[in-house]
Amino acid sequence: LTTSVALVGSAAANAGAIAMALGKGQINDLDESVLTNHPVTLEEIESNVRFWELPKQLNICSLYQRKPTAGIIVEGWLYKKSTNRLSLNQWARRWFMLDGKGVYYLKGGSESKKGESKDNPNEWMDRIKVCDILLCTVREINMKAKGNPNLRFCFEIISPNSKSYLLQACGPDDYKMWVDGIRSCIEQQLIAGKLPPENMLLGNSSGKSSKAGPYRSKGKAAETETIDYSVDGDSAIAGRRSSVGGGLFSPEQNTAPGKSPLIPKILEANRVCADCSAINPDWASLNLGVLVCIECSGVHRSLGVHVSKVRSIRLDDIRDSEYKLLMEIGNDNANTIWEAGLHHQKGWTKPQSGAPRKAKEEWIKSKYVWKGFLEYNEEDGREHEDREAKFCRDLYDASRRCDLLGIADALAKGGSVEWKNSEEGGKTALHVCAISQPGNRDDLDSWKGIQCAELLIQNGAKLSAEDSDHHNALDCAVVLGARREMIEYLEARGS
């Protein structure tokens, strides 16, 4: 600590000397080494004074040495941002832990338990579950892109079955330790290929690791499962899965994991990975409609669920409509969109199955995040605003026609599912898809309305979005006499 203080003092003295010389116009009188070696950024100053080594050095010198928790891979202090806007303290300091199955933090605890075991907080504090490791992804926060210097060393944990957590580490070393640790656990889980427990697949996670279980109530005609996440008071969340009636697309008619008759057909139609040509891929990106190998699936997961929603074809609980979507799009159709402009990009070749992981990461990010291999025509426009306006309209028109590949193409090129057509009562693409009809009312085989609606929803379309008459997609389907199959699908999807 004394050494660091001395180094900070030396850096401050040099900065003062440089400032004084600049003020007096005597900059040429300074030693050149003072100018060239003087740090000019906060990161350089921190590196020179070894600021981030302080906690480690102080811990080594401390009389109290904390014993590592058994079974925990990474643990330490993180700052958790509250989602409650009325909270006086937006950032709360919590002790977080990462094991092979999930991320947790310690909070609260009763006084009676505290008295029984003061020395070990793990025994008297409540362990709050943040997420299941297999169903989460970690996203690094770029403070420069966000324009907020207070977001240094921040990362976000995103999970489809719980809220997202914005966390801040205490320095670059801790930041790297947590981000790399979570991603490593995700990769290990994917490589191990183990079936997650049923309560994880259904989003049935208990907030407190072993003390609180889900409450279930069953009736004869309907089943409702309520899940209490029991998280801290600033963001109490409840999840619910319910099935009512017995419609064509009722959730209770979903095929059990790995049992759908479409699985062999999907695997047969997609014999190689969409991104590296590895044989026998069995991981799917639901919103992209492609099958990828287990290694590429790990890269897809790292992109975030807003880019790629990854599920196991054989292990995860997948809806019938999602299986049908994968069957209709598939790798060949998707790649005609996502790789159509590859021949314009010099120096790029598609990686093969034996390529290093780094090469696959660069390819997948360039393909789906930066969208570097899409092909645009002159009529698409050159400016971003022109292209966005065109593809929002294309998405709307393709949804009206139930043109599945047209929707996929418009989504890839920037069409927004939230765009509303002011000329048609503020309807979205999902609205017009919901009221679509097959050319021949009895020809359901050629009608892809369900698959189109599923693709829109997978890419962020909201079932609750309303037009200017305050009708959502289901309301429009009922009022305007849509197909019974579509009405039942939307009912099941919104339950």
Side-chain angles (χ1 to χ4, degrees):
L1 180 59
T2 304
T3 302
S4 293
V5 171
L7 289 171
V8 170
S10 175
N14 286 340
I18 293 172
M20 184 178 296
L22 286 171
K24 295 181 178 181
Q26 300 172 349
I27 191 66
N28 294 328
D29 296 338
L30 289 175
D31 190 334
E32 186 176 350
S33 62
V34 174
L35 295 174
T36 55
N37 297 330
H38 184 71
V40 294
T41 66
L42 177 61
E43 289 78 8
E44 289 178 355
I45 294 174
E46 291 171 345
S47 176
N48 285 357
V49 304
R50 294 181 293 178
F51 180 76
W52 299 114
E53 295 181 18
L54 273 177
K56 186 187 299 182
Q57 298 299 326
L58 292 173
N59 185 52
I60 293 173
C61 299
S62 174
L63 296 176
Y64 172 73
Q65 298 291 329
R66 188 182 185 280
K67 294 182 180 179
T69 307
I72 297 299
I73 299 170
V74 179
E75 61 180 336
W77 292 109
L78 290 173
Y79 289 91
K80 181 179 74 73
K81 185 173 176 59
S82 172
T83 55
N84 185 357
R85 295 182 180 181
L86 299 180
S87 175
L88 296 177
N89 186 11
Q90 286 291 307
W91 293 87
R93 192 167 180 248
R94 301 280 186 238
W95 186 265
F96 277 77
M97 296 180 291
L98 166 69
D99 63 17
K101 295 182 179 180
V103 181
Y104 315 83
Y105 68 88
L106 300 180
K107 180 177 183 291
S110 65
E111 290 297 324
S112 59
K113 293 180 180 178
K114 183 177 181 179
E116 295 171 3
S117 181
K118 292 183 179 179
D119 297 331
N120 190 354
N122 284 322
E123 294 183 4
W124 58 267
M125 296 188 75
D126 291 331
R127 184 184 288 194
I128 308 299
K129 190 169 189 178
V130 172
C131 65
D132 298 298
I133 201 68
L134 190 60
L135 297 180
C136 80
T137 186
V138 59
R139 181 173 64 183
E140 301 174 59
I141 302 297
N142 187 336
M143 67 172 183
K144 294 180 180 178
K146 294 286 186 180
N148 188 346
N150 294 325
L151 293 180
R152 283 189 88 195
F153 315 128
C154 283
F155 60 95
E156 189 173 14
I157 296 178
I158 304 170
S159 176
N161 63 346
S162 69
K163 68 166 185 174
S164 61
Y165 282 75
L166 182 60
L167 305 173
Q168 187 174 44
C170 298
D173 296 337
D174 285 359
Y175 174 79
K176 188 175 187 302
M177 174 181 70
W178 277 102
V179 172
D180 292 349
I182 294 173
R183 287 177 175 168
S184 176
C185 286
I186 293 172
E187 184 174 358
Q188 290 301 319
Q189 286 277 7
L190 290 173
I191 291 174
K194 295 180 180 179
L195 175 65
E198 182 181 357
N199 61 349
M200 182 191 296
L201 294 176
L202 298 178
N204 182 11
S205 302
S206 171
K208 298 179 182 179
S209 59
S210 60
K211 301 175 184 176
Y215 169 79
R216 303 184 182 187
S217 62
K218 296 183 179 180
K220 295 180 180 179
E223 177 187 350
T224 300
E225 183 179 79
T226 302
I227 305 140
D228 180 14
Y229 287 90
S230 301
V231 295
D232 50 327
D234 61 0
S235 57
I237 296 177
R240 184 176 66 185
R241 179 175 63 91
S242 64
S243 57
V244 182
L248 183 64
F249 286 93
S250 177
E252 66 182 12
Q253 291 195 8
N254 278 11
T255 309
K259 301 298 183 182
S260 172
L262 287 177
I263 290 180
K265 296 181 181 179
I266 294 173
L267 296 176
E268 177 67 22
N270 302 277
R271 293 187 174 185
V272 297
C273 172
D275 295 322
C276 75
S277 300
I279 61 172
N280 301 324
D282 57 0
W283 288 81
S285 173
L286 298 181
N287 60 313
L288 299 174
V290 299
L291 260 63
V292 294
C293 66
I294 190 167
E295 186 171 16
C296 288
S297 74
V299 180
H300 274 254
R301 291 184 69 89
S302 70
L303 303 179
V305 293
H306 60 292
V307 176
S308 183
K309 298 178 180 178
V310 180
R311 295 290 184 273
S312 169
I313 284 287
R314 302 181 188 274
L315 304 180
D316 285 341
D317 186 22
I318 298 179
R319 299 181 182 88
D320 290 339
S321 56
E322 293 169 336
Y323 280 124
K324 292 177 180 178
L325 176 61
L326 292 170
M327 189 69 207
E328 291 295 333
I329 298 182
N331 293 355
D332 290 340
N333 288 328
N335 282 341
T336 59
I337 297 171
W338 289 99
E339 298 177 6
L342 178 59
H343 59 283
H344 297 307
Q345 303 296 334
K346 295 181 180 179
W348 279 97
T349 56
K350 189 170 184 175
Q352 297 303 302
S353 59
R357 179 183 172 90
K358 184 68 175 177
K360 295 181 181 180
E361 286 181 354
E362 292 176 351
W363 170 265
I364 292 171
K365 287 182 179 180
S366 298
K367 181 177 177 180
Y368 299 111
V369 178
W370 308 120
K371 302 184 178 182
F373 308 134
L374 295 174
E375 186 168 41
Y376 296 95
N377 301 318
E378 290 184 5
E379 58 268 23
D380 295 336
R382 294 186 176 274
E383 300 298 328
H384 173 73
E385 293 78 8
D386 297 335
R387 287 182 175 180
E388 185 177 27
K390 180 184 183 299
F391 290 116
C392 284
R393 172 66 72 171
D394 288 352
L395 177 62
Y396 189 88
D397 293 340
S399 300
R400 188 203 304 277
R401 301 190 308 269
C402 291
D403 178 3
L404 188 64
L405 296 184
I407 293 174
D409 183 78
L411 286 170
K413 294 177 179 177
S416 173
V417 294
E418 298 177 354
W419 183 77
K420 294 186 177 183
N421 190 344
S422 59
E423 298 173 0
E424 297 188 11
K427 288 182 172 57
T428 66
L430 185 59
H431 281 93
V432 292
C433 179
I435 59 178
S436 65
Q437 296 284 354
N440 182 345
R441 295 187 67 87
D442 297 324
D443 184 15
L444 284 179
D445 291 335
S446 63
W447 180 63
K448 308 301 180 186
I450 302 294
Q451 293 91 325
C452 290
E454 183 65 38
L455 181 58
L456 291 170
I457 293 171
Q458 288 289 344
N459 284 275
K462 298 290 191 294
L463 287 162
S464 59
E466 296 181 345
D467 61 13
S468 55
D469 294 324
H470 304 290
H471 290 159
N472 59 31
L474 178 57
D475 296 333
C476 285
V478 173
V479 171
L480 299 177
R483 297 288 308 185
R484 176 179 61 86
E485 294 82 2
M486 176 63 78
I487 294 174
E488 290 178 347
Y489 162 77
L490 293 172
E491 285 180 333
R493 207 58 171 83
S495 62

